[in-house]
Amino acid sequence: KYPRSIIMAHAPMTLFRVIVCALALLPAAAGDFCATKFEQYGDFAFEAASLLNVTFFDEGGYAVVDVAMVPSDGYIAGYAAEKYVISSCTNLPGLEALVPGATEYITVASKISVKTTTVVALVDKIDAVDLLVAYDDIQWTSSQTVIDHVLKFSIPLTHVQYPGSGIIDTVLLTQGSELHITDHYNCVDDRAGLVNTTIPVVCIPNSLETTPLGKAEWMKLIGLLLIGKGGKSITEFSGISSYYSAAKLFATSKTPKTVIQGDYSFPFWWNGNTGGWSMSWLNSYIASHFTNGGGVYVAPSTYSPNTYIDLPGAKETWAKAEFWIASDALTTLASTDSDVAWIKNMPAVKCGNVYQWTARVNPNGGNDMYESADVSPDVVLKDIIKILNPELLTSHTLYYAQKIDVSAYEGICPYDTPETTTPTSSSTTTTTTTTKSTNGTNAGAANAATGLTGLNLGLTIAVAILGSVLIVVALGTSLMFQRRARAANTINDALKVGTFSA
């Protein structure tokens, strides 16, 4: 149709266009990963985390994550609202124009630096420790996976190698960090330390969440930030949430047990040299844990988290608690201070129900309760259920909590159920109250049998009928206890299904 000369004249340009198009269709080279959309972005939403919201654009090409502001109350540090624009593709241009005013513009990362144990726990939970190229310090870290990775690959520990700064921009640049993740306490300082770099900083204020699942769901934000970890974060949290919800239903079906968490703080300059009780407040995530585990968390209604409770208020409050979760119970109990002498008579102490979150403490004092427990609320809930209602989890061994031996201070437990028994004497009727449950015999039945010789036939028949009724009742009671035992076993088996690693 066209002269040969015209076709040959346009051949070079046509060939050039073909090559350009072909190159555009080739996968990105290693290090230039480009996903067409985030993994499972259609199912990605924050449900338990009250401070997070995510919106996807460009068919999952990029996401806008809004972090809500949390004001300071004088006890916890406040947190300013932030906005992160996260691109799933390294060559997606113009996001600053599309979403102006964001705190950080971020491309999914394959190399990260992390600060604090609470943040590294989120990374560890979604199997992303292999992306870690710099960390602040392992002496407080409990995760053996993190420790092994740091030692194997000689990961620089910025806080140890460069004391006084905690973060060195040249180190992170040398290591090729593409993203720095820290907590909200270190957010301002870390951004200042990286101000001369292009490394974005993401701050994780999950400790400000008021529910256990809310704290743990921040692992999904970490998954969104890292190459190939979005799906893992969704799957991991979904399993934890499902188990937690099911265990909560079983635990809350029992009669609630009163529980308190806190310690007496001896007089120091920082508490006005007055001493008092330092307690977790009613709207804290740990209070939510206790409620979900079958407890009633006891705390004064007038308590605010930035004050210590004076002793009169503490006495009134703690007198109601059947279980005491302490930080250092034995030190408090061993004190000869007259102001704390009454503690030895607390119901929780007399009943021997004193525990601490100290089962997993490393030689340097790092406590795993403040690391992996944040991302393993299901395991914490198991511990609480085991403490409050051990019959529901007969095979579970306490993981974060441990029982403290306070036998030297134990006595009559006011929460033991009194039982009334009647002596067999026919001439006197006396009521005796015991503090421990017993399986006594029915003395009245023996007396009835002795007196049958003097009764008429009608009374004999009545007694026989009554005896039959008693037998039926006894059989029914036996069947009821068997059903309860089977139900308990069913609950126990259900709670054992899908045990999650901590």
Side-chain angles (χ1 to χ4, degrees):
K1 184 175 180 180
Y2 297 102
R4 183 180 180 86
S5 59
I6 295 178
I7 295 176
M8 294 303 295
H10 286 78
M13 181 58 70
T14 302
L15 179 60
F16 174 76
R17 289 173 178 171
V18 170
I19 293 173
V20 170
C21 291
L23 289 174
L25 293 174
L26 289 176
D32 291 324
F33 179 90
C34 180
T36 55
K37 60 183 179 182
F38 283 106
E39 291 182 86
Q40 304 181 28
Y41 79 94
D43 301 321
F44 202 108
F46 295 107
E47 300 171 356
S50 62
L51 303 179
L52 283 172
N53 183 63
V54 61
T55 307
F56 290 92
F57 298 92
D58 191 29
E59 297 184 349
Y62 69 96
V64 176
V65 175
D66 290 293
V67 183
M69 180 193 74
V70 177
S72 172
D73 65 356
Y75 177 78
I76 56 174
Y79 185 80
E82 297 203 331
K83 184 187 295 290
Y84 303 125
V85 179
I86 310 170
S87 170
S88 66
C89 185
T90 58
N91 58 359
L92 189 63
L95 289 179
E96 290 84 351
L98 290 174
V99 188
T103 309
E104 299 282 4
Y105 297 89
I106 306 162
T107 300
V108 286
S110 61
K111 294 180 180 180
I112 60 172
S113 53
V114 170
K115 196 168 192 178
T116 78
T117 56
T118 55
V119 175
V120 85
L122 295 164
V123 174
D124 190 14
K125 195 66 174 180
I126 61 173
D127 299 337
V129 172
D130 58 313
L131 306 184
L132 191 65
V133 297
Y135 187 41
D136 63 336
D137 195 354
I138 60 171
Q139 67 170 329
W140 309 111
T141 303
S142 298
S143 170
Q144 196 60 46
T145 301
V146 174
I147 294 171
D148 289 345
H149 176 76
V150 168
L151 297 178
K152 180 179 179 180
F153 296 100
S154 300
I155 301 299
L157 301 174
T158 56
H159 187 71
V160 176
Q161 298 175 12
Y162 307 91
S165 60
I167 181 169
I168 300 295
D169 53 2
T170 54
V171 175
L172 300 193
L173 289 172
T174 301
Q175 290 296 111
S177 177
E178 301 164 355
L179 173 66
H180 181 66
I181 311 175
T182 186
D183 65 3
H184 73 290
Y185 293 105
N186 294 285
C187 185
V188 174
D189 289 341
D190 286 8
R191 280 213 174 102
L194 294 173
V195 69
N196 294 321
T197 76
T198 58
I199 301 174
V201 177
V202 169
C203 305
I204 307 294
N206 66 327
S207 62
L208 302 180
E209 294 282 353
T210 58
T211 66
L213 289 178
K215 292 185 73 172
E217 195 176 22
W218 281 73
M219 71 176 71
K220 288 164 63 174
L221 174 59
I222 303 297
L224 200 64
L225 291 164
L226 307 181
I227 288 178
K229 298 300 181 180
K232 171 66 177 176
S233 67
I234 294 173
T235 303
E236 188 70 28
F237 180 76
S238 177
I240 292 171
S241 179
S242 297
Y243 180 94
Y244 193 97
S245 299
K248 173 185 173 181
L249 286 176
F250 286 124
T252 53
S253 67
K254 304 289 288 184
T255 301
K257 309 289 180 63
T258 54
V259 61
I260 196 70
Q261 173 166 298
D263 274 287
Y264 178 75
S265 178
F266 293 95
F268 287 103
W269 63 267
W270 44 264
N271 61 26
N273 294 311
T274 60
W277 286 101
S278 175
M279 304 171 67
S280 299
W281 55 100
L282 282 173
N283 66 337
S284 65
Y285 87 98
I286 195 66
S288 177
H289 256 320
F290 288 131
T291 301
N292 297 337
V296 173
Y297 187 70
V298 182
S301 58
T302 57
Y303 175 59
S304 61
N306 61 339
T307 62
Y308 283 91
I309 299 174
D310 58 17
L311 284 173
K315 290 179 182 178
E316 180 181 350
T317 299
W318 283 54
K320 305 172 186 176
E322 184 178 357
F323 292 83
W324 176 22
I325 313 299
S327 295
D328 191 357
L330 294 181
T331 298
T332 299
L333 290 172
S335 172
T336 58
D337 191 324
S338 60
D339 286 341
V340 298
W342 66 272
I343 299 172
K344 300 178 180 65
N345 294 317
M346 284 196 308
V349 175
K350 291 301 181 184
C351 298
N353 296 328
V354 180
Y355 295 81
Q356 293 178 180
W357 299 114
T358 50
R360 294 177 57 79
V361 179
N362 71 19
N364 297 314
N367 192 333
D368 203 21
M369 183 61 185
Y370 308 112
E371 186 178 331
S372 71
D374 280 359
V375 293
S376 303
D378 50 320
V379 182
V380 177
L381 187 64
K382 282 183 182 181
D383 276 7
I384 292 173
I385 293 172
K386 182 71 173 183
I387 291 170
L388 302 182
N389 293 293
E391 73 279 3
L392 292 181
L393 276 179
T394 56
S395 63
H396 176 66
T397 301
L398 293 178
Y399 190 80
Y400 295 106
Q402 64 179 155
K403 189 168 187 177
I404 305 302
D405 182 7
V406 293
S407 55
Y409 307 98
E410 288 182 25
I412 297 176
C413 177
Y415 289 96
D416 284 330
T417 304
E419 180 176 304
T420 301
T421 59
T422 304
T424 58
S425 172
S426 58
S427 60
T428 310
T429 301
T430 306
T431 300
T432 304
T433 301
T434 61
T435 59
K436 300 291 181 183
S437 299
T438 57
N439 293 321
T441 57
N442 190 337
N447 290 338
T450 303
L452 280 177
T453 54
L455 296 177
N456 58 31
L457 181 62
L459 184 57
T460 302
I461 294 173
V463 171
I465 293 173
L466 178 60
S468 298
V469 171
L470 291 174
I471 291 173
V472 171
V473 171
L475 288 173
T477 302
S478 176
L479 290 173
M480 178 186 70
F481 280 113
Q482 291 180 30
R483 286 196 298 269
R484 287 183 179 180
R486 285 196 297 270
N489 289 334
T490 300
I491 291 173
N492 192 53
D493 291 341
L495 289 174
K496 287 188 292 184
V497 172
T499 300
F500 297 96
S501 63

